[in-house]
PDB file of all heavy atoms in Angstrom:
ATOM      1  N   ASP A 529      16.583  43.672 -37.275  1.00 98.00           N
ATOM      2  CA  ASP A 529      15.388  44.277 -36.669  1.00 98.00           C
ATOM      3  C   ASP A 529      15.098  45.654 -37.304  1.00 98.00           C
ATOM      4  O   ASP A 529      13.947  46.119 -37.311  1.00 98.00           O
ATOM      5  CB  ASP A 529      15.540  44.440 -35.178  1.00 98.00           C
ATOM      6  CG  ASP A 529      15.583  43.078 -34.432  1.00 98.00           C
ATOM      7  OD1 ASP A 529      15.063  42.105 -35.019  1.00 98.00           O
ATOM      8  OD2 ASP A 529      16.082  43.022 -33.294  1.00 98.00           O
ATOM      9  N   TYR A 530      16.134  46.299 -37.827  1.00 98.00           N
ATOM     10  CA  TYR A 530      16.009  47.573 -38.461  1.00 98.00           C
ATOM     11  C   TYR A 530      15.841  47.496 -39.957  1.00 98.00           C
ATOM     12  O   TYR A 530      15.786  48.500 -40.653  1.00 98.00           O
ATOM     13  CB  TYR A 530      17.232  48.497 -38.163  1.00 98.00           C
ATOM     14  CG  TYR A 530      17.246  49.071 -36.765  1.00 98.00           C
ATOM     15  CD1 TYR A 530      17.896  48.391 -35.711  1.00 98.00           C
ATOM     16  CD2 TYR A 530      16.633  50.298 -36.463  1.00 98.00           C
ATOM     17  CE1 TYR A 530      17.923  48.938 -34.438  1.00 98.00           C
ATOM     18  CE2 TYR A 530      16.662  50.837 -35.189  1.00 98.00           C
ATOM     19  CZ  TYR A 530      17.309  50.162 -34.198  1.00 98.00           C
ATOM     20  OH  TYR A 530      17.331  50.695 -32.916  1.00 98.00           O
ATOM     21  N   GLY A 531      15.756  46.236 -40.435  1.00 98.00           N
ATOM     22  CA  GLY A 531      15.633  46.054 -41.867  1.00 98.00           C
ATOM     23  C   GLY A 531      16.941  46.104 -42.619  1.00 98.00           C
ATOM     24  O   GLY A 531      16.964  46.297 -43.831  1.00 98.00           O
ATOM     25  N   ILE A 532      18.060  45.988 -41.915  1.00 98.00           N
ATOM     26  CA  ILE A 532      19.396  45.988 -42.490  1.00 98.00           C
ATOM     27  C   ILE A 532      19.816  44.548 -42.745  1.00 98.00           C
ATOM     28  O   ILE A 532      19.977  43.764 -41.783  1.00 98.00           O
ATOM     29  CB  ILE A 532      20.415  46.676 -41.591  1.00 98.00           C
ATOM     30  CG1 ILE A 532      19.958  48.129 -41.287  1.00 98.00           C
ATOM     31  CG2 ILE A 532      21.803  46.677 -42.179  1.00 98.00           C
ATOM     32  CD1 ILE A 532      20.673  48.766 -40.135  1.00 98.00           C
ATOM     33  N   PRO A 533      20.081  44.128 -43.990  1.00 98.00           N
ATOM     34  CA  PRO A 533      20.387  42.727 -44.264  1.00 98.00           C
ATOM     35  C   PRO A 533      21.778  42.382 -43.776  1.00 98.00           C
ATOM     36  O   PRO A 533      22.691  43.290 -43.631  1.00 98.00           O
ATOM     37  CB  PRO A 533      20.247  42.642 -45.770  1.00 98.00           C
ATOM     38  CG  PRO A 533      20.564  44.028 -46.265  1.00 98.00           C
ATOM     39  CD  PRO A 533      19.962  44.946 -45.194  1.00 98.00           C
ATOM     40  N   ALA A 534      22.040  41.124 -43.577  1.00 98.00           N
ATOM     41  CA  ALA A 534      23.348  40.647 -43.160  1.00 98.00           C
ATOM     42  C   ALA A 534      24.441  41.023 -44.202  1.00 98.00           C
ATOM     43  O   ALA A 534      25.626  41.236 -43.847  1.00 98.00           O
ATOM     44  CB  ALA A 534      23.365  39.146 -42.929  1.00 98.00           C
ATOM     45  N   SER A 535      24.043  41.113 -45.438  1.00 98.00           N
ATOM     46  CA  SER A 535      25.010  41.515 -46.514  1.00 98.00           C
ATOM     47  C   SER A 535      25.537  42.935 -46.311  1.00 98.00           C
ATOM     48  O   SER A 535      26.569  43.313 -46.876  1.00 98.00           O
ATOM     49  CB  SER A 535      24.342  41.397 -47.873  1.00 98.00           C
ATOM     50  OG  SER A 535      23.190  42.231 -47.993  1.00 98.00           O
ATOM     51  N   ASP A 536      24.841  43.758 -45.527  1.00 98.00           N
ATOM     52  CA  ASP A 536      25.306  45.106 -45.271  1.00 98.00           C
ATOM     53  C   ASP A 536      25.977  45.264 -43.915  1.00 98.00           C
ATOM     54  O   ASP A 536      26.266  46.330 -43.414  1.00 98.00           O
ATOM     55  CB  ASP A 536      24.137  46.117 -45.335  1.00 98.00           C
ATOM     56  CG  ASP A 536      23.744  46.515 -46.735  1.00 98.00           C
ATOM     57  OD1 ASP A 536      24.623  46.309 -47.657  1.00 98.00           O
ATOM     58  OD2 ASP A 536      22.632  46.988 -46.992  1.00 98.00           O
ATOM     59  N   VAL A 537      26.329  44.125 -43.326  1.00 98.00           N
ATOM     60  CA  VAL A 537      27.060  44.127 -42.025  1.00 98.00           C
ATOM     61  C   VAL A 537      28.408  43.436 -42.272  1.00 98.00           C
ATOM     62  O   VAL A 537      28.472  42.261 -42.669  1.00 98.00           O
ATOM     63  CB  VAL A 537      26.303  43.363 -40.935  1.00 98.00           C
ATOM     64  CG1 VAL A 537      27.140  43.363 -39.615  1.00 98.00           C
ATOM     65  CG2 VAL A 537      24.925  43.973 -40.706  1.00 98.00           C
ATOM     66  N   VAL A 538      29.509  44.181 -42.099  1.00 98.00           N
ATOM     67  CA  VAL A 538      30.850  43.632 -42.277  1.00 98.00           C
ATOM     68  C   VAL A 538      31.470  43.525 -40.910  1.00 98.00           C
ATOM     69  O   VAL A 538      31.704  44.510 -40.254  1.00 98.00           O
ATOM     70  CB  VAL A 538      31.677  44.531 -43.206  1.00 98.00           C
ATOM     71  CG1 VAL A 538      33.103  43.985 -43.417  1.00 98.00           C
ATOM     72  CG2 VAL A 538      30.971  44.775 -44.565  1.00 98.00           C
ATOM     73  N   VAL A 539      31.701  42.297 -40.461  1.00 98.00           N
ATOM     74  CA  VAL A 539      32.175  42.068 -39.072  1.00 98.00           C
ATOM     75  C   VAL A 539      33.644  42.189 -38.903  1.00 98.00           C
ATOM     76  O   VAL A 539      34.410  41.577 -39.702  1.00 98.00           O
ATOM     77  CB  VAL A 539      31.690  40.692 -38.571  1.00 98.00           C
ATOM     78  CG1 VAL A 539      32.221  40.423 -37.194  1.00 98.00           C
ATOM     79  CG2 VAL A 539      30.128  40.637 -38.558  1.00 98.00           C
ATOM     80  N   ASP A 540      34.055  42.914 -37.911  1.00 98.00           N
ATOM     81  CA  ASP A 540      35.458  43.002 -37.478  1.00 98.00           C
ATOM     82  C   ASP A 540      35.645  42.057 -36.304  1.00 98.00           C
ATOM     83  O   ASP A 540      35.139  42.362 -35.202  1.00 98.00           O
ATOM     84  CB  ASP A 540      35.828  44.452 -37.101  1.00 98.00           C
ATOM     85  CG  ASP A 540      37.279  44.617 -36.709  1.00 98.00           C
ATOM     86  OD1 ASP A 540      37.976  43.603 -36.459  1.00 98.00           O
ATOM     87  OD2 ASP A 540      37.711  45.762 -36.616  1.00 98.00           O
ATOM     88  N   PRO A 541      36.321  40.920 -36.487  1.00 97.00           N
ATOM     89  CA  PRO A 541      36.475  39.955 -35.408  1.00 97.00           C
ATOM     90  C   PRO A 541      37.446  40.406 -34.321  1.00 97.00           C
ATOM     91  O   PRO A 541      37.623  39.723 -33.317  1.00 97.00           O
ATOM     92  CB  PRO A 541      36.960  38.717 -36.110  1.00 97.00           C
ATOM     93  CG  PRO A 541      37.692  39.225 -37.300  1.00 97.00           C
ATOM     94  CD  PRO A 541      36.969  40.431 -37.738  1.00 97.00           C
ATOM     95  N   LEU A 542      38.154  41.482 -34.531  1.00 97.00           N
ATOM     96  CA  LEU A 542      39.151  42.080 -33.654  1.00 97.00           C
ATOM     97  C   LEU A 542      40.470  41.300 -33.658  1.00 97.00           C
ATOM     98  O   LEU A 542      40.480  40.153 -33.201  1.00 97.00           O
ATOM     99  CB  LEU A 542      38.589  42.244 -32.216  1.00 97.00           C
ATOM    100  CG  LEU A 542      37.470  43.266 -32.105  1.00 97.00           C
ATOM    101  CD1 LEU A 542      36.859  43.159 -30.695  1.00 97.00           C
ATOM    102  CD2 LEU A 542      38.016  44.662 -32.344  1.00 97.00           C
TER     103      LEU A 542
END
Side-chain angles (χ1 to χ4, degrees):
D529 291 341
Y530 284 92
I532 301 165
S535 60
D536 279 340
V537 180
V538 181
V539 175
D540 182 346
L542 292 170

